[in-house]
Amino acid sequence: MGEVINHIDNSSNYNGQEEEQGDPESNTLNQPLVKANRTLSSTPLALVGTKVSHIESLDYEDKKSCGGNRYVTGLMMFAGANLGLTLVSSVLCVCFAPTAAGPGIPEIKAYLNGIDTPNMFGATTMFVKIIGSIGAVSAGLDLGKEGPLVHIGTCIASLLGQGGTDNHRIKWRWLRYFNNDRDRRDLITCGSAAGVCAAFRSPVGGVLFALEEVATWWRSALLWRTFFSTAVVVVVLREFIEICKSGKCGLFGRGGLIMFDVSHVTYTYHVADIIPVTLIGVIGGVLGSLYNHLLHKVLRLYNLINAKGKIHKVLLSLLVSLFTSVCLYGLPFLATCKPCDPSIEERCPTNGRSGNFKQFHCPKGYYSDLATLLLTTNDDAVRNIFSSNTPNEFSMGSLWIFFVLYCILGLFTFGIATPSGLFLPIILMGSAYGRMLGGVMGSYTSIDQGLYAVLGAASLMAGSMRMTVSLCVIFLELTNNLLLLPITMIVLLIAKTVGDSFNPSIYDIILHLKGLPFLEANPEPWMRNLSVGDLGDAKPPVVTLQGVEKVARIVDVLKNTTHNAFPVLDKEEVVPQIELHGLILRSHLVKVLKKRWFLTEKRRTEEWEVREKFPWDELAEREDNFDDVAITSSEMEMYVDLHPLTNTTPYTVMENMSVAKALVLFRQVGLRHLLIVPKIQASGMSPVVGILTRQDLRPYNILQAFPHLKNPKVGKHNE
Amino acid sequence: MGEVINHIDNSSNYNGQEEEQGDPESNTLNQPLVKANRTLSSTPLALVGTKVSHIESLDYEDKKSCGGNRYVTGLMMFAGANLGLTLVSSVLCVCFAPTAAGPGIPEIKAYLNGIDTPNMFGATTMFVKIIGSIGAVSAGLDLGKEGPLVHIGTCIASLLGQGGTDNHRIKWRWLRYFNNDRDRRDLITCGSAAGVCAAFRSPVGGVLFALEEVATWWRSALLWRTFFSTAVVVVVLREFIEICKSGKCGLFGRGGLIMFDVSHVTYTYHVADIIPVTLIGVIGGVLGSLYNHLLHKVLRLYNLINAKGKIHKVLLSLLVSLFTSVCLYGLPFLATCKPCDPSIEERCPTNGRSGNFKQFHCPKGYYSDLATLLLTTNDDAVRNIFSSNTPNEFSMGSLWIFFVLYCILGLFTFGIATPSGLFLPIILMGSAYGRMLGGVMGSYTSIDQGLYAVLGAASLMAGSMRMTVSLCVIFLELTNNLLLLPITMIVLLIAKTVGDSFNPSIYDIILHLKGLPFLEANPEPWMRNLSVGDLGDAKPPVVTLQGVEKVARIVDVLKNTTHNAFPVLDKEEVVPQIELHGLILRSHLVKVLKKRWFLTEKRRTEEWEVREKFPWDELAEREDNFDDVAITSSEMEMYVDLHPLTNTTPYTVMENMSVAKALVLFRQVGLRHLLIVPKIQASGMSPVVGILTRQDLRPYNILQAFPHLKNPKVGKHNE
């Protein structure tokens, strides 16, 4: 499962200063390669990109010294290559798999809540996501690879669960045992955990992410299954790192397990630091919710543009790419050149593929701090900002430019039609804001600016995504500094609390924008005052079937309704009493028609007849389409015994049950249909007065039908 | 909340070699004090004990050189002081709070599953637990303080939830808003997380422990609430450490956040190490389940002894204490003296309160390795065994003696009547077994023996307790070495899988021994073939009340039944139809009798009458006792309108529902009562055919009533 994930991410941390490091100790696997955390390293995704290769070309041209003209050539090459990569990524997404655009996490969350987005977990989506993500990230766009990796993980899980792809005719029969809704749900949860693990190299963080953010239903067995998945990922990751240690992977180089290692850095903090820490949390929460608010507006605007057609989608992506390239290339000219500090061991200035202290337009012996941050991969930029004991390396002005640029890019890049993750853009913004705050607070506390940057990133993440435990562990596993834990926890909790008082989390906003009928964990207070009977009365009457039903009626019902399940009733002949036999699924009715399992007379069938005709693994498959079934008019007059295919024990609620309690039952037990039974059954009356589905229990839909509930007196909390 | 917890644990890691360390860097808060992991440090609990003080007295007598006699005196003082401490701890437990004995974790688990053990979370229990735990641990018994700390945490949480103690007349009115079952459950979950956090200084581990092992129902809100609790604990912990850094705490000294720090140690491991790692996991799983099996037998034997009376309980504790003292003191004589390695910087041999390389009976320049392990605190013994790059410090013979001794002590100490935790004994056993395995494998792999010890401890924990993610994080936070994570995960998963194939986890075994009706997450396969109707038929008929009921009938029902809830029925006068109005709780009936809310005629009351008489916070209180209510014979003839106090929307299931599905509903929604309604309601028939409680749904109880289900054909898994 972890294979494709690791194919992308197996061996990051390419150490550009390989030739300069004579110390064999630093090459061993058991400690992170980035021993001093100032050593730059790039992920393979980024190395494909043109940012790096352009810097090199600039370097060659430097010798000719042909004035301002060479910068124009440089910009054209830079922007051109970026445009090309964006084009590939965007065209793939637009033409072959529209579901591959964006992070994919909201759809995964929705799937685990019970909402299946079509074509979300197919093979095409996966391949487009992989190639598109490589393209988009290497084009230097302000996008992360984390969200896409999670989506890729779930695609692999889903394909394994289905036993192969439906379209490409690759099916393993022995995998069909997992082809049911429950196992598929579990597999997709494991896949998302594996994706986070691969993205951040954070096995425990992956498990917690799946638990806190992605999953709706959680069973104790799922805990150790996700844990097993991430264990496999992390072991495969280590193996790739070990193989690449010997230099066989070319540019991919060698890497360590910890991405932004700050474990060897001594951070000091004391009681008085509670004020700046609180400040970081509060500002992070405010900024995070502001970001959510603005992103919501931008995404609505983009929806309008994207709705105009495929060309508009691609053009929008190209426009954003061009803007990004121009900003990244042009803005460093605004920054002043800073003299190299001769006491630092690292080479300064550098022009190579990687390395700190980029020279760019500066004279010898000077470096451009903004170019160091902008003309590098996003990962390396984060590492630079997280670096500690470097209070003077980046000027406040450069940090401001960086922060504002990435705020703008973060808002306008996310909605374009390429695979894109939200994690890295937010980390970039947050770390810049944190470091700036550290600069402002400078004299007040003894906290290092690098620590401010880490905390700033954490606070903005919590302020926007509203996760706590999983973010905390992901940051722990990213930075490998356990002593930061208490302070990170406080910042996360404050930022989440502040953010929650303004708006919902960014994933909830996207879910809402996409119109996915997500079922929240807690019922609204006004749901206590509404009974399911009222809800059922507001709907068209329920469509029921007889225990032994005519084929014509079944065809009629299937053609004229879109319901997914129908109550099956039995009329007692002797006493005028109608009995509820159970609930039959639409897909089972379609199966019956396809197999032409018809009876010439009205009779009950034996159980063995059904067992022979319908094996359980076929019944587990979902099939809704029966257009290709031609039923003759003589067959139409025949009968079907629905009894053996009926679920005889559906969950039921009495009609006077409150919607709030019905919702708790619906969500906790993980239902698709909930039958409403009458409180008093009189002879001859139907034993079912309604059927509730997910759509019926959505607050938005209920408020449409019952507008007077919008401003109710909030009932006492006494459940 | 964390205050009392931290009172015990605030400032461990007493650094005994204070005067020898000139390096000021090692004293800063931001890195663990135990810089070289060979430096010994003791927890305050342990410093109270006599192990340490006896070693000192031996030191003084050493100068007199009066032969073997001084060892007898030493043994008597050692054993005497230990006996005294055990006596205090045991007498407190036996006489004042029998529920304070043992770890308390199984009872907490049961409480969160819905089973309230009386006197489990009271103030008396808490104080006895605190003092008893200090006594038992300092008496040198093979017990941990971890389980008791978890229990203390939940006691504090529960007391806060109740607004104070019931018996000691300390009640805060403003805290009464939490005095309902749901908030109390949440608070107790948070308390257990805080306890684990205080015990291991592991905030994330605490959250995961609460999630994986303790909690039955989990809501997303609970995740960040527990996280907040542990954040507070860890901040308070840090504050205490900072205060004690300046030496104000006397013997408590200074400490770091990480208990068994191995972060500065470089462990190397490669692909070939998969064999020893698998071996550790498999043996750990086998040993763990063997330990569970034997402990089960010992606990059953102890139950027989303890049932004989209080004196027997105390005598058993004293016997175990005496045996422990004699072994700890006598066994080091069996080990050969080892010459001190002059290349090591540490003082060797030592006789002081702490320090490595204990001299004991050896001549100058020699040390006794077994005395180093036995005549120290349990925490320090673990640190010694975890130490790396010390392949020759402990001889195989000494490790064997240590391992066998702690296996015996671990089995025979746990069941005595003192507060006792299981974590540390298992870590001690596991680390010794791991290090021995490392010695055996010595030439085969390059894995350090210290790493073997860490993995051995982890594997035995997983083999016995069957936790994965939480143990993994606890070990990560204990050892502060992120690079160990992949290997730890594999070991834990293997050990858990192996252990699960033999017997249930140790907590499940204890739950079963205590006879607590714990409701498992997954229904048994045979439950699919049994309907709740059959289950209801096997019980005595359900006791129902009328909507407007006579006082005499209510008193009669309360006196002659033990049910906690009664269905309320309404007879329609016109049509002969009986309607189910709802379910009324016993405690509300008792309230009605206490308040004498009687009506002279048979009529329905208004809602405002009820609101005035019964404020919601009073209704939330549980009151079952109505012996002090004297009802006159004229009152007996009066009526009560039960309608307003009835829960009108109880969850119901049809009588043909399978027990498996009813159990899922019962557990997922967290019910106490589930009504069984008939499939067909005929006129004049009761609309309730039965009522299911937790006891009815226990597999054991069902099998008693339906013995033919014991060996059923296992049904197809098609839920």
Side-chain angles (χ1 to χ4, degrees):
Chain A
M1 190 184 301
E3 210 176 358
V4 178
I5 295 167
N6 292 311
H7 172 66
I8 297 185
D9 201 57
N10 55 50
S11 52
S12 308
N13 282 25
Y14 161 69
N15 192 324
Q17 299 187 315
E18 202 174 333
E19 68 281 359
E20 290 171 308
Q21 289 194 341
D23 181 14
E25 200 44 41
S26 70
N27 295 349
T28 52
L29 251 189
N30 48 295
Q31 65 177 43
L33 249 198
V34 200
K35 203 174 186 183
N37 71 326
R38 304 283 294 110
T39 310
L40 270 199
S41 50
S42 319
T43 59
L45 278 187
L47 283 171
V48 182
T50 51
K51 275 183 179 183
V52 173
S53 62
H54 171 62
I55 303 300
E56 234 178 3
S57 69
L58 189 69
D59 188 25
Y60 297 143
E61 287 178 303
D62 200 21
K63 285 149 198 156
K64 298 178 203 152
S65 305
C66 48
N69 203 23
R70 69 192 166 109
Y71 290 117
V72 176
T73 325
L75 174 61
M76 282 170 64
M77 288 179 65
F78 184 63
N82 284 348
L83 273 178
L85 285 163
T86 312
L87 187 69
V88 170
S89 168
S90 186
V91 165
L92 276 176
C93 273
V94 168
C95 298
F96 297 102
T99 47
I105 293 177
E107 286 90 348
I108 299 165
K109 221 180 137 172
Y111 178 82
L112 294 176
N113 193 268
I115 311 147
D116 204 353
T117 313
N119 301 321
M120 195 61 206
F121 303 109
T124 320
T125 311
M126 187 179 75
F127 287 114
V128 168
K129 195 101 191 181
I130 294 172
I131 299 165
S133 178
I134 293 174
V137 172
S138 13
L141 291 170
D142 182 25
L143 297 170
K145 60 185 189 304
E146 290 74 19
L149 274 174
V150 174
H151 189 182
I152 294 167
T154 54
C155 286
I156 299 169
S158 170
L159 289 174
L160 280 179
Q162 287 171 22
T165 71
D166 284 330
N167 308 327
H168 302 78
R169 302 203 162 275
I170 314 164
K171 280 264 189 189
W172 292 290
R173 290 290 293 169
W174 58 272
L175 277 174
R176 72 181 191 278
Y177 294 100
F178 300 108
N179 194 5
N180 62 64
D181 285 344
R182 191 155 87 168
D183 284 338
R184 203 163 161 230
R185 204 166 69 196
D186 284 5
L187 277 169
I188 282 180
T189 313
C190 292
S192 69
V196 172
C197 175
F200 294 107
R201 301 174 185 190
S202 160
V204 181
V207 172
L208 286 173
F209 180 83
L211 163 66
E212 189 175 8
E213 187 58 41
V214 181
T216 295
W217 294 283
W218 191 261
R219 298 179 298 132
S220 58
L222 215 48
L223 196 67
W224 80 262
R225 282 182 196 168
T226 48
F227 191 67
F228 182 77
S229 313
T230 59
V232 171
V233 171
V234 92
V235 167
V236 173
L237 213 57
R238 257 196 75 93
E239 277 319 296
F240 272 97
I241 291 169
E242 190 159 7
I243 291 166
C244 289
K245 193 178 59 161
S246 49
K248 284 179 209 152
C249 312
L251 266 182
F252 291 93
R254 303 156 303 175
L257 257 187
I258 293 138
M259 290 177 82
F260 306 130
D261 195 4
V262 292
S263 66
H264 296 268
V265 182
T266 305
Y267 290 124
T268 37
Y269 54 102
H270 302 288
V271 197
D273 297 335
I274 197 78
I275 296 164
V277 164
T278 312
L279 204 64
I280 294 174
V282 171
I283 300 179
V286 172
L287 283 181
S289 53
L290 188 68
Y291 178 74
N292 288 3
H293 180 74
L294 294 176
L295 190 60
H296 185 200
K297 303 271 177 213
V298 174
L299 288 178
R300 281 173 66 171
L301 175 70
Y302 275 20
N303 274 353
L304 294 179
I305 299 172
N306 286 337
K308 288 190 178 169
K310 291 184 177 177
I311 305 291
H312 284 82
K313 280 189 184 179
V314 175
L315 282 180
L316 184 66
S317 310
L318 292 181
L319 194 71
V320 169
S321 172
L322 193 66
F323 176 73
T324 308
S325 301
V326 170
C327 287
L328 290 182
Y329 198 88
L331 286 176
F333 290 104
L334 296 180
T336 50
C337 293
K338 301 189 87 169
C340 286
D341 183 354
S343 67
I344 295 176
E345 285 172 30
E346 285 178 73
R347 190 159 51 164
C348 174
T350 53
N351 279 315
R353 276 160 182 276
S354 72
N356 243 316
F357 306 110
K358 293 267 195 280
Q359 188 176 356
F360 201 57
H361 65 294
C362 294
K364 285 220 162 171
Y366 286 78
Y367 72 96
S368 162
D369 56 351
L370 198 53
T372 306
L373 290 177
L374 292 181
L375 290 167
T376 181
T377 63
N378 292 341
D379 282 3
D380 283 348
V382 172
R383 257 181 225 106
N384 262 321
I385 300 184
F386 278 7
S387 70
S388 56
N389 299 320
T390 52
N392 300 315
E393 190 176 323
F394 304 106
S395 68
M396 197 54 121
S398 302
L399 283 174
W400 260 112
I401 295 174
F402 181 86
F403 176 64
V404 172
L405 171 66
Y406 272 95
C407 281
I408 296 168
L409 291 180
L411 284 173
F412 287 96
T413 311
F414 180 71
I416 64 172
T418 54
S420 54
L422 263 176
F423 280 95
L424 208 67
I426 294 179
I427 291 181
L428 278 170
M429 264 187 282
S431 56
Y433 131 71
R435 206 174 172 96
M436 273 157 46
L437 190 70
V440 173
M441 303 288 290
S443 54
Y444 177 76
T445 64
S446 55
I447 302 184
D448 189 271
Q449 291 193 7
L451 177 55
Y452 266 108
V454 173
L455 295 179
S459 74
L460 204 64
M461 292 270 271
S464 174
M465 299 185 170
R466 313 288 158 79
M467 294 184 278
T468 50
V469 189
S470 49
L471 271 186
C472 179
V473 174
I474 288 175
F475 265 86
L476 170 65
E477 293 183 310
L478 278 180
T479 58
N480 191 19
N481 197 330
L482 200 59
L483 292 158
L484 286 184
L485 200 56
I487 210 167
T488 316
M489 290 172 91
I490 298 175
V491 165
L492 288 173
L493 283 168
I494 294 175
K496 180 196 154 69
T497 313
V498 171
D500 273 342
S501 59
F502 291 109
N503 51 25
S505 87
I506 186 71
Y507 290 128
D508 286 345
I509 288 175
I510 298 174
L511 273 174
H512 185 78
L513 259 180
K514 298 209 175 221
L516 297 169
F518 194 82
L519 222 55
E520 291 297 334
N522 297 316
E524 306 281 333
W526 49 260
M527 287 185 179
R528 288 174 219 277
N529 306 324
L530 187 72
S531 78
V532 290
D534 299 339
L535 216 58
D537 291 343
K539 292 178 66 181
V542 57
V543 178
T544 57
L545 295 172
Q546 295 294 320
V548 180
E549 187 60 272
K550 253 190 165 172
V551 175
R553 162 86 176 147
I554 294 176
V555 172
D556 177 52
V557 160
L558 286 181
K559 278 206 175 130
N560 296 322
T561 66
T562 55
H563 305 316
N564 273 312
F566 306 92
V568 176
L569 305 181
D570 268 332
K571 264 206 185 100
E572 299 265 329
E573 299 297 330
V574 196
V575 203
Q577 180 96 32
I578 308 175
E579 191 186 317
L580 169 66
H581 185 70
L583 199 68
I584 192 160
L585 291 178
R586 166 179 280 263
S587 63
H588 290 182
L589 290 177
V590 171
K591 271 262 150 51
V592 164
L593 294 185
K594 279 200 172 164
K595 296 226 170 185
R596 293 171 190 286
W597 191 56
F598 305 142
L599 309 169
T600 45
E601 80 240 65
K602 210 170 177 177
R603 68 164 174 96
R604 298 285 287 253
T605 48
E606 303 292 326
E607 208 179 319
W608 59 264
E609 295 182 60
V610 196
R611 286 241 174 112
E612 254 175 27
K613 197 81 181 178
F614 300 96
W616 65 270
D617 56 320
E618 279 190 20
L619 283 180
E621 279 172 30
R622 265 195 240 162
E623 244 176 314
D624 291 347
N625 191 1
F626 70 109
D627 293 340
D628 52 337
V629 186
I631 295 169
T632 61
S633 56
S634 65
E635 278 175 335
M636 280 291 195
E637 294 304 309
M638 290 165 88
Y639 291 92
V640 180
D641 180 15
L642 299 178
H643 289 102
L645 291 170
T646 304
N647 165 16
T648 53
T649 57
Y651 283 100
T652 54
V653 284
M654 295 248 179
E655 57 185 335
N656 62 334
M657 176 73 90
S658 74
V659 175
K661 283 175 102 170
L663 180 63
V664 167
L665 169 63
F666 197 90
R667 193 177 189 278
Q668 286 294 333
V669 183
L671 299 179
R672 289 179 67 196
H673 306 98
L674 183 59
L675 291 181
I676 308 174
V677 295
K679 198 171 158 136
I680 306 161
Q681 285 185 346
S683 308
M685 261 178 60
S686 169
V688 180
V689 295
I691 184 164
L692 290 179
T693 64
R694 159 184 307 273
Q695 290 287 359
D696 300 321
L697 290 169
R698 282 192 76 202
Y700 179 81
N701 295 349
I702 297 176
L703 286 179
Q704 293 287 331
F706 300 90
H708 64 279
L709 288 170
K710 260 173 197 162
N711 292 310
K713 292 171 291 176
V714 177
K716 255 270 164 278
H717 179 86
N718 56 359
E719 195 187 336
Chain B
M1 192 184 298
E3 208 176 359
V4 177
I5 295 165
N6 293 312
H7 172 66
I8 296 184
D9 202 57
N10 54 49
S11 52
S12 307
N13 282 24
Y14 162 68
N15 192 322
Q17 299 186 316
E18 204 175 329
E19 67 282 357
E20 289 171 309
Q21 288 194 344
D23 182 14
E25 200 44 42
S26 70
N27 294 350
T28 53
L29 251 190
N30 48 297
Q31 66 175 45
L33 249 197
V34 200
K35 203 175 183 180
N37 71 327
R38 304 283 293 110
T39 311
L40 269 199
S41 50
S42 320
T43 58
L45 277 187
L47 284 171
V48 182
T50 52
K51 276 182 177 182
V52 173
S53 63
H54 171 63
I55 305 301
E56 236 179 359
S57 69
L58 188 70
D59 188 25
Y60 298 139
E61 287 178 305
D62 200 20
K63 285 148 200 159
K64 298 179 204 154
S65 304
C66 47
N69 203 23
R70 68 194 168 109
Y71 292 115
V72 177
T73 324
L75 174 61
M76 281 172 65
M77 287 179 66
F78 183 64
N82 284 347
L83 273 179
L85 284 162
T86 312
L87 187 69
V88 170
S89 168
S90 185
V91 166
L92 275 176
C93 274
V94 168
C95 297
F96 298 101
T99 47
I105 293 176
E107 286 91 348
I108 298 165
K109 217 179 142 175
Y111 178 82
L112 294 176
N113 193 267
I115 310 148
D116 204 353
T117 313
N119 301 319
M120 195 61 204
F121 303 109
T124 319
T125 309
M126 186 178 75
F127 288 113
V128 168
K129 196 100 189 185
I130 294 172
I131 300 166
S133 179
I134 293 175
V137 173
S138 13
L141 291 170
D142 182 26
L143 297 170
K145 61 185 186 305
E146 289 74 19
L149 273 174
V150 174
H151 189 183
I152 294 166
T154 54
C155 285
I156 298 169
S158 170
L159 289 174
L160 280 179
Q162 289 172 20
T165 70
D166 284 328
N167 307 327
H168 302 79
R169 304 202 162 275
I170 314 166
K171 279 263 190 187
W172 293 289
R173 289 290 291 171
W174 58 271
L175 277 174
R176 71 181 191 276
Y177 294 99
F178 301 109
N179 195 6
N180 62 64
D181 285 346
R182 192 155 85 169
D183 286 337
R184 201 163 163 231
R185 204 166 69 196
D186 284 6
L187 277 169
I188 282 179
T189 312
C190 292
S192 70
V196 173
C197 175
F200 294 108
R201 299 169 187 197
S202 160
V204 182
V207 172
L208 286 172
F209 180 83
L211 163 66
E212 188 174 10
E213 186 59 40
V214 182
T216 294
W217 294 283
W218 192 261
R219 297 179 297 132
S220 57
L222 214 49
L223 196 66
W224 78 264
R225 282 182 195 170
T226 49
F227 191 66
F228 182 77
S229 313
T230 59
V232 171
V233 171
V234 92
V235 167
V236 173
L237 214 56
R238 258 195 74 91
E239 279 318 297
F240 271 97
I241 291 169
E242 190 160 4
I243 291 166
C244 289
K245 194 178 59 162
S246 50
K248 284 180 210 152
C249 314
L251 265 182
F252 290 93
R254 303 155 304 176
L257 257 187
I258 294 138
M259 290 178 83
F260 306 131
D261 195 5
V262 292
S263 65
H264 297 267
V265 182
T266 306
Y267 289 125
T268 36
Y269 55 101
H270 303 286
V271 198
D273 297 335
I274 197 77
I275 297 165
V277 164
T278 312
L279 204 64
I280 294 174
V282 171
I283 300 179
V286 172
L287 283 183
S289 53
L290 188 67
Y291 177 74
N292 288 2
H293 179 74
L294 294 176
L295 190 59
H296 185 197
K297 304 269 176 214
V298 173
L299 288 177
R300 282 174 65 170
L301 176 70
Y302 275 20
N303 274 353
L304 294 179
I305 298 172
N306 286 337
K308 288 189 177 170
K310 293 184 176 179
I311 304 290
H312 284 82
K313 281 189 184 179
V314 175
L315 282 179
L316 184 64
S317 311
L318 293 180
L319 194 69
V320 169
S321 171
L322 193 66
F323 177 72
T324 308
S325 301
V326 170
C327 288
L328 291 181
Y329 197 91
L331 286 175
F333 289 103
L334 296 180
T336 49
C337 293
K338 300 188 87 168
C340 286
D341 184 353
S343 67
I344 295 176
E345 284 172 30
E346 284 177 76
R347 189 160 53 165
C348 176
T350 53
N351 278 315
R353 275 161 183 273
S354 69
N356 244 315
F357 306 112
K358 294 264 195 282
Q359 187 177 355
F360 201 61
H361 65 292
C362 295
K364 285 217 163 173
Y366 286 79
Y367 72 94
S368 162
D369 57 351
L370 198 54
T372 305
L373 291 177
L374 293 181
L375 291 169
T376 182
T377 65
N378 292 340
D379 282 4
D380 284 347
V382 172
R383 261 183 220 103
N384 263 321
I385 299 183
F386 278 8
S387 70
S388 56
N389 300 320
T390 51
N392 300 316
E393 190 177 321
F394 303 106
S395 67
M396 198 52 122
S398 300
L399 283 174
W400 260 112
I401 295 174
F402 182 86
F403 176 65
V404 172
L405 171 64
Y406 272 94
C407 282
I408 296 169
L409 291 181
L411 284 173
F412 288 98
T413 310
F414 180 73
I416 64 173
T418 55
S420 53
L422 264 175
F423 281 95
L424 207 68
I426 294 179
I427 291 181
L428 277 170
M429 263 187 284
S431 56
Y433 130 70
R435 204 174 172 99
M436 274 158 41
L437 190 69
V440 173
M441 302 288 289
S443 55
Y444 176 75
T445 63
S446 56
I447 302 184
D448 187 90
Q449 291 194 7
L451 177 54
Y452 267 108
V454 173
L455 294 178
S459 74
L460 203 65
M461 292 270 271
S464 173
M465 298 183 171
R466 313 289 158 77
M467 294 184 277
T468 50
V469 189
S470 49
L471 270 186
C472 180
V473 174
I474 288 174
F475 264 87
L476 170 65
E477 293 183 311
L478 277 180
T479 58
N480 190 19
N481 198 329
L482 201 58
L483 292 159
L484 285 184
L485 201 54
I487 211 168
T488 316
M489 289 171 93
I490 299 174
V491 165
L492 287 174
L493 282 167
I494 294 175
K496 181 195 153 69
T497 314
V498 170
D500 273 342
S501 59
F502 290 109
N503 51 25
S505 86
I506 187 71
Y507 290 127
D508 286 345
I509 289 175
I510 298 173
L511 272 174
H512 185 77
L513 259 181
K514 297 208 176 222
L516 297 169
F518 194 82
L519 221 55
E520 290 297 334
N522 297 317
E524 306 280 334
W526 49 260
M527 286 186 180
R528 289 175 220 277
N529 307 324
L530 186 71
S531 78
V532 289
D534 298 339
L535 215 57
D537 291 345
K539 290 177 66 181
V542 58
V543 178
T544 58
L545 295 173
Q546 295 294 320
V548 180
E549 186 60 272
K550 253 191 166 174
V551 175
R553 163 84 176 150
I554 295 176
V555 172
D556 176 55
V557 160
L558 287 181
K559 278 206 175 131
N560 295 323
T561 68
T562 55
H563 306 315
N564 274 312
F566 306 91
V568 176
L569 306 181
D570 267 332
K571 263 205 184 102
E572 300 265 330
E573 298 298 329
V574 195
V575 203
Q577 180 95 32
I578 307 175
E579 191 187 317
L580 170 65
H581 184 70
L583 198 67
I584 192 160
L585 292 178
R586 166 179 281 261
S587 64
H588 291 180
L589 290 177
V590 171
K591 271 262 151 46
V592 163
L593 295 186
K594 279 198 174 168
K595 297 223 170 189
R596 292 172 191 285
W597 192 58
F598 304 143
L599 309 168
T600 44
E601 80 241 65
K602 210 169 178 176
R603 69 165 174 97
R604 298 283 285 252
T605 48
E606 304 293 326
E607 207 177 318
W608 59 265
E609 294 181 61
V610 195
R611 286 240 174 112
E612 255 175 27
K613 195 84 180 176
F614 300 97
W616 66 268
D617 56 319
E618 278 190 21
L619 283 179
E621 279 171 28
R622 265 196 240 160
E623 244 176 314
D624 290 349
N625 191 0
F626 70 110
D627 292 340
D628 50 340
V629 186
I631 294 166
T632 60
S633 56
S634 64
E635 279 174 336
M636 280 292 197
E637 293 305 308
M638 290 163 89
Y639 291 92
V640 180
D641 179 14
L642 298 178
H643 290 102
L645 291 170
T646 304
N647 165 18
T648 54
T649 55
Y651 284 101
T652 53
V653 283
M654 295 249 181
E655 59 185 335
N656 61 333
M657 177 72 92
S658 74
V659 174
K661 284 175 102 169
L663 181 63
V664 167
L665 170 62
F666 196 89
R667 195 178 188 279
Q668 287 293 333
V669 184
L671 300 178
R672 288 177 68 195
H673 305 98
L674 184 58
L675 291 182
I676 308 173
V677 295
K679 199 171 158 137
I680 306 160
Q681 284 184 346
S683 307
M685 259 178 61
S686 169
V688 181
V689 297
I691 185 165
L692 290 178
T693 63
R694 158 184 308 273
Q695 290 286 358
D696 300 321
L697 291 169
R698 283 193 73 201
Y700 180 81
N701 294 350
I702 298 176
L703 287 179
Q704 293 287 328
F706 301 90
H708 64 277
L709 288 170
K710 262 174 195 161
N711 292 309
K713 292 172 289 176
V714 177
K716 256 268 164 277
H717 180 85
N718 55 0
E719 194 187 338

